[in-house]
Amino acid sequence: MALLKSSLTFSPYGKFAIPPKPTTTACSLLKKPRLSSSFRLHSSMLRRLLLSPSIHRFLSHPTKFLSFPTPYPFACTYFSPLTWPFPYIFARPISSLKFLAMAERPLTPESHSHNYTNRLAAEHSPYLLQHAHNPVDWYPWGEEAFAEARKREVPIFLSIGYSTCHWCHVMEVESFEDEGVAKLLNDWFVSIKVDREERPDVDKVYMTYVQALYGGGGWPLSVFLSPDLKPLMGGTYFPPNDKYGRPGFKTILRKVKDAWDVKRDILVKSGAFAIEQLAEALSANASPKKLPDGLPQNALRLCADQLSASYDSKFGGFGSAPKFPRPVEIQLMLYWSKKLEETGKLHEANEALKKVFFSLQCMARGGIHDHVGGGFHRYSVDECWHVPHFEKMLYDQGQLANVYSDAFSITKEYYFSFVARDILDYLRRDMIGQEGEIFSAEDADSAEYEGDARKKEGAFYIWTSQEVDDILGEHATIFKNHYHVKPSGNCDLSRMSDPHHEFKGKNVLIERQNSSEMASKVGMPVDKYLDILGECRRKLFEVRSSRPRPHLDDKVIVSWNGLAISSFARASKILKGEEEGTKFYFPVVGCDLQEYMDVAEKAASFIRRQLYNEQTHRLQHSFRNGPSKAPGFLDDYAFLISGLLDLFEFGGGIEWLLWAIELQDTQDKLFLDREGGGYFNTPGEDPSVLLRVKEDNDGAEPSGNSVSAINLVRLCSLVAGTRTDCYRQNAEHLLAVFEARLKDMAMAVPLMCCAADMVTVPSRKQVVLVGHKHSVEFENMLVAAHTSYDPNKTVIHIDPSNMKEKEFWEEHNSNIALMAKNNFVADKVVALVCQDFTCSAPVADPESLKALLYRKSSSFASIGTSK
């Protein structure tokens, strides 16, 4: 029997690749199997899927896809052949008019008196609160809902989404606010609503099920469960009514109810069997405790080659539309270029760097970048980075700021430092709470004007030509030429940019030529031209600030804060390589870079104060009006540890390193598979979470296992003794778990490829700074230590007059303590560079340290070449 396929295909990156013609329908006809053979069919299909090489991409893929596809809304319903209650299913494109109607969702004033209030009103999640006044009798995920389903002997309808998900909003308006649909749900099901950002563990179970059986997924995720939480059938977005020969949500509810009444035993058995098969397929273990010799280097090369083959030489980036800014790909290419440089292959290294820098420039010039307010939108629907899906996610901002900072450290080009500051200044202005916590996301949709009853995608960010004229006056022409603003609208650069003419007459700002070329055309000095553009952006920003803002998801997620902490801490030192007197233009503030370090430390302090138990040493996952019920997951520990290591290495106190070590101990206790290797995504303590997965895919966010492997390598070079041996063994065993993945599908795990190579580096470079802190001399030496890009370098700083630091190093690495004692000079800050068990003579000025680091790199290059 043919498997049900979506009209959207899955790209190598785990994102939806939209077919060129939106009128195409490609969903296979699915017939209802005979009941007598259904269990056998389900079994064989699961075995075939789970044993195929391609399915492992889906099974381990972090659930970070599009909310149900936009702007090409093909809806395809996914059902298990066993439980299929219809004779046929077709995928049909939703008409342009229908799409436009759905793209506009009602705006409900806060003061509105509600006709309905359900249990979600007591929750903290912004997404759950959005549904608190649906007529659907929603439950949050928990025992109360499960007990109600068991008591009534009815199936569960599970709906998973997040607060800035466009198609989640559409399904709410069409179905969950409809009293007729609500009556069916309330009479026949127990309905549970889950915020995937609050409960990624629950989302992972049922997304894995849908992906494994049907080869795709997205949000909203809609799954029917037995009262014991086994999946019966599932899909994504369902339109409310039957159209084009395909069933609507109300029909589906009736058919599921009928199937439950008549074929309950078969449904329950099939759900249990599906979970058993998935659990077996996902139980990755490694008997060898390390990767075979040569595999890490081969995986790194393979990943770089595969990315290069997908490189878009015209518009930058890797792959085709829709285009996502996937920072892990940039990280891989930067790492690969450094390895090539170290082995004397300078031409190949430069070619890799050209791809990276051109891609970063194209992204920053495109409409995916918010030129007026700073930061980046989620992804571009076209190939030229122009028309975005307008939501802004914290995990994107943190990772992108880091890769732009890295690009600056390599090139020393002001352009890259400007973009890094642009992102971080956006976060400082719009995304940070009163206690230093960093919020999660901003929605894509908003009202066009105050009092407007409907929200539209991108309304906050787009402009008409007349608006620009009215606001900018004499400088309007310069601005419009620079940002390609046209009276008819500019969303026509690609046939994929605006196929339904949603943005007709509107403009998404994009730079098609660089500033020096444009300044030359108007016969103006570049500085003056940039001044004018900056002032124009400021004026547009002030006008835009009076528009209704998109919804802010002010939930605080530990893992995403960890990514942001890293970016602020690193930028505080890397960007000090900017030339003195560098001028910045709005929306960049041009602040003292110490302010970035302050942001990082405040965010880390908030997490420690609000989401960390000092007695148990355990994290909670998120915070909004108090800690969430969900425990910390692997990503929370791994990403926060990474951020804390950066906090320390880039100048923070020893307490951050000590906390990172404590968290690593807890992570090992809760998530480490000591027999099989690698880390599970959950602690495994919640019986309602049916699958425990070892994730490896580096997607929109890196995987917890990839980040953990790098953390362990970094910790090895900071501490000594049995801890070091333990860290290295755990890192090697972790990577061995994913040997097949590294060998066969390296492009799916770019950061893990870097981690695998890091483990094999014979001796990681250590830069040790000794002297009094909180001095200009110490700051300058620390900046010098971080001047050059080198992912295989650790920076350690110690003040021997500080008793707390002295005791820490005496306990955790006596070699560092002895080095500090022997090289301490009261009125100087000295630096030593150590590698291959030898250390340089101490130097006491920044330029000497820079030269020493350069010589060490050259020496290492010759060693690498000889091998």
Side-chain angles (χ1 to χ4, degrees), residues 76 135 151 253 269 284 352 368 459 470 541 609-610 628 665 712:
C76 194
K151 175 183 173 183
L253 294 178
K269 288 178 181 177
I368 191 172
D470 294 343
F541 178 82
R609 187 170 60 252
Q610 299 287 0
S628 67
D665 289 345
L712 292 167

Side-chain angles (χ1 to χ4, degrees), residues 202-213:
V202 176
D203 177 68
K204 184 65 181 177
V205 172
Y206 301 105
M207 182 64 77
T208 298
Y209 168 79
V210 169
Q211 286 178 284
L213 290 181

Side-chain angles (χ1 to χ4, degrees), residues 188-204:
W188 297 338
F189 303 89
V190 169
S191 299
I192 298 178
K193 178 64 73 172
V194 167
D195 180 343
R196 66 164 295 266
E197 294 171 354
E198 192 174 60
R199 291 303 304 259
D201 53 338
V202 176
D203 177 68
K204 184 65 181 177

Side-chain angles (χ1 to χ4, degrees), residues 338-582:
K338 182 67 174 177
K339 299 296 289 188
L340 291 171
E341 176 193 324
E342 289 173 346
T343 53
K345 299 176 181 177
L346 299 183
H347 175 72
E348 293 178 51
N350 287 333
E351 288 301 308
L353 289 178
K354 285 179 184 177
K355 293 180 175 69
V356 168
F357 298 150
F358 183 63
S359 296
L360 291 175
Q361 288 169 347
C362 289
M363 285 162 49
R365 290 175 181 167
I368 191 172
H369 176 210
D370 180 2
H371 295 275
V372 170
F376 280 75
H377 300 295
R378 180 72 277 274
Y379 64 89
S380 165
V381 302
D382 52 43
E383 71 278 14
C384 49
W385 301 104
H386 184 203
V387 177
H389 177 45
F390 287 90
E391 67 181 326
K392 289 181 175 180
M393 307 300 295
L394 177 59
Y395 58 76
D396 284 324
Q397 315 308 323
Q399 293 178 91
L400 286 169
N402 263 338
V403 294
Y404 278 101
S405 293
D406 286 337
F408 172 76
S409 73
I410 296 168
T411 65
K412 298 301 184 282
E413 288 187 15
Y414 154 83
Y415 183 83
F416 295 118
S417 73
F418 181 93
V419 180
R421 281 179 176 263
D422 165 289
I423 297 167
L424 299 174
D425 288 349
Y426 154 67
L427 292 177
R428 290 172 70 225
R429 186 189 66 235
D430 291 345
M431 298 293 285
I432 295 181
Q434 293 183 351
E435 297 183 55
E437 70 276 27
I438 308 178
F439 301 139
S440 297
E442 287 193 293
D443 204 345
D445 302 356
S446 60
E448 291 187 288
Y449 52 86
E450 290 295 343
D452 187 8
R454 294 211 168 266
K455 290 186 178 184
K456 294 185 178 180
E457 166 105 27
F460 186 70
Y461 300 100
I462 57 180
W463 304 90
T464 65
S465 178
Q466 187 62 53
E467 284 176 322
V468 174
D469 286 333
D470 294 343
I471 297 165
L472 301 184
E474 63 175 321
H475 293 141
T477 299
I478 289 176
F479 186 88
K480 291 198 296 183
N481 288 337
H482 186 87
Y483 287 107
H484 193 58
V485 175
K486 301 189 299 183
S488 59
N490 71 356
C491 298
D492 55 1
L493 295 181
S494 164
R495 59 185 174 77
M496 301 185 75
S497 298
D498 187 26
H500 301 288
H501 310 294
E502 221 186 326
F503 300 127
K504 185 177 181 180
K506 303 294 178 66
N507 293 271
V508 176
L509 303 184
I510 182 173
E511 296 177 288
R512 304 190 72 194
Q513 290 179 285
N514 66 44
S515 298
S516 59
E517 292 172 347
M518 296 297 287
S520 178
K521 284 184 178 180
V522 297
M524 187 180 293
V526 174
D527 285 349
K528 183 177 180 182
Y529 185 81
L530 293 174
D531 266 333
I532 289 172
L533 288 182
E535 187 56 32
C536 288
R537 291 192 295 266
R538 184 189 303 277
K539 289 180 179 178
L540 291 175
F541 178 82
E542 290 170 355
V543 171
R544 196 177 80 171
S545 297
S546 66
R547 293 175 175 177
R549 288 196 66 89
H551 159 73
L552 170 68
D553 188 330
D554 56 356
K555 181 168 67 267
V556 180
I557 297 175
V558 171
S559 58
W560 298 359
N561 269 249
L563 295 172
I565 287 167
S566 170
S567 65
F568 276 107
R570 297 180 77 249
S572 74
K573 298 300 178 289
I574 292 174
L575 301 189
K576 285 204 171 182
E578 296 164 343
E579 290 185 10
E580 189 174 348
T582 297

Side-chain angles (χ1 to χ4, degrees), residues 560-609:
W560 298 359
N561 269 249
L563 295 172
I565 287 167
S566 170
S567 65
F568 276 107
R570 297 180 77 249
S572 74
K573 298 300 178 289
I574 292 174
L575 301 189
K576 285 204 171 182
E578 296 164 343
E579 290 185 10
E580 189 174 348
T582 297
K583 187 172 182 180
F584 299 100
Y585 306 92
F586 191 86
V588 171
V589 176
C591 66
D592 182 340
L593 290 167
Q594 179 58 38
E595 294 182 30
Y596 289 164
M597 178 59 78
D598 294 342
V599 170
E601 293 195 312
K602 287 179 181 177
S605 296
F606 177 88
I607 293 172
R608 180 147 201 170
R609 187 170 60 252

